[in-house]
Amino acid sequence: MEWKRFEALLIEQAFIFEFFEHGYAPERGCCASCGKVAERKCFLKCAGCQSILYCAKSCQKLDWSRHRLTCKKVDNESREYLRENGIKISRRLVTLQLNRYWSSIVSLAQKHRIPPNRLGVQVFHDVAPFRIKVFDCQNVGKKIYDFDLRPIEPLIANEVIKERTKGRPCLMLVINHFGGVNVSYIVYLEEHLDPFAKKASQSQCGALVDEDGVLLFPGAGDIVGLFINKAHQYSDYNWRKFWGEKPFVYLVAEAK
C-alpha cells in the first residue's frame, strides 16, 4: 500500500512537471492596490517583504502608507527564502494542487468550521504522500501551529483576509520543506473560491492526504488525473513499462 501511494505521487509529479514544460497552469497574481488580476510574472514584487504584488510603481506608492508598517517588520530570513528559485517551483506545484484538490480542501475547512474568507492551507512536502492541513488565518499569531511564526506570517494572514473581503480568490499557503523549513505565501487560485466546489473524483491520483492520513482526491474533470488514467491504460498498469516508455512525455505533447 505504501509503495502504491509513493508510486502514485511520483507519477503525478511527472505529469505535473511535464505540463509545466508546456506552459500549463500559470500562476495568478493580483495587484494589492488596484485589484488587477493577471499572471504572477506580470507583477512587481515588494522588495521589502517579497510577498505583496503590484502592477505598477504608481500602485505601490499609493499602497505604501498602508503596507509600510507591516512590511518593515519582515525578517531577513523570510526574505531570503522567498527569493530562492527552488522555493518558487515548490509554490507553483502546490498552487496547482490547491486548484485541483479544492473540493477536498473545502470539505476539510467545513469540518474544522473555518470560514472560506479566513482559510489558510499548510502543505507538508517533507513526507510522502504530501500531507495537507487547514487553519484559520484570523488565529495566526494567537495559536501555535506546525510552522515557525515570524513577522511574515501575520502580514500574509491579514493581507489574505483583506483580499477575500474584496472578493479576490486567494488564500494563505504555508509549505513545509525538508529540513524543517517552512515558507509562507499569498496564492491566487484559478477560479473564485466556491464553497460548493465540484465533487471530488476517485482518480488514480494519490499525492495528498489530510492530517489524519486519509487519502484526498482531485475535483471532477481534473485534467492531470485524466491523463494519469490514460497513461495507465497505455502501460497496462505495469510500472516497469510505465517508467520505461514515459507516457507522460508524449501524452502531454500530443495534447498540445
Side-chain angles (χ1 to χ4, degrees), residues 83-153:
R83 287 192 185 107
E84 292 183 18
N85 287 328
I87 298 278
K88 294 176 183 177
I89 293 171
S90 179
R91 182 195 66 221
R92 186 180 179 190
L93 170 62
V94 175
T95 302
L96 174 60
Q97 289 173 324
L98 295 180
N99 280 299
R100 297 177 55 229
Y101 287 82
W102 183 242
S103 55
S104 294
I105 293 168
V106 167
S107 296
L108 289 176
Q110 292 171 340
K111 175 183 175 182
H112 292 277
R113 299 181 180 178
I114 301 173
N117 64 330
R118 302 205 310 253
L119 178 60
V121 177
Q122 184 177 9
V123 178
F124 297 83
H125 265 190
D126 50 357
V127 293
F130 299 150
R131 183 160 58 93
I132 195 167
K133 186 176 182 179
V134 295
F135 62 90
D136 191 332
C137 287
Q138 187 167 274
N139 293 329
V140 170
K142 300 178 183 177
K143 290 186 177 182
I144 298 176
Y145 292 107
D146 292 332
F147 54 84
D148 298 328
L149 189 62
R150 301 180 294 257
I152 190 72
E153 275 72 38

Side-chain angles (χ1 to χ4, degrees), residues 14-22 24 227 247-256:
F15 266 99
I16 286 173
F17 282 106
E18 196 64 33
F19 273 116
F20 283 168
E21 286 292 320
H22 289 79
Y24 174 78
F227 273 77
F248 46 87
V249 175
Y250 60 78
L251 283 174
V252 174
E254 287 173 3
K256 297 297 288 185

Side-chain angles (χ1 to χ4, degrees), residues 14-75:
F15 266 99
I16 286 173
F17 282 106
E18 196 64 33
F19 273 116
F20 283 168
E21 286 292 320
H22 289 79
Y24 174 78
E27 282 190 279
R28 288 161 57 94
C30 180
C31 177
S33 180
C34 71
K36 176 184 176 181
V37 177
E39 285 191 40
R40 189 182 179 95
K41 65 182 181 180
C42 298
F43 293 93
L44 302 171
K45 186 166 57 176
C46 175
C49 67
Q50 292 289 311
S51 297
I52 307 302
L53 304 176
Y54 298 100
C55 63
K57 290 184 178 180
S58 56
C59 276
Q60 185 175 19
K61 288 180 180 179
L62 285 173
D63 194 48
W64 181 239
S65 60
R66 177 195 69 86
H67 177 56
R68 64 181 177 180
L69 294 178
T70 51
C71 181
K72 290 180 178 180
K73 295 179 182 179
V74 175
D75 57 300

Side-chain angles (χ1 to χ4, degrees), residues 231-256:
H232 277 302
Q233 292 171 10
Y234 274 82
S235 58
D236 300 321
Y237 294 87
N238 182 305
W239 67 269
R240 287 188 175 86
K241 185 177 179 182
F242 181 93
W243 291 109
E245 296 183 356
K246 299 181 179 179
F248 46 87
V249 175
Y250 60 78
L251 283 174
V252 174
E254 287 173 3
K256 297 297 288 185

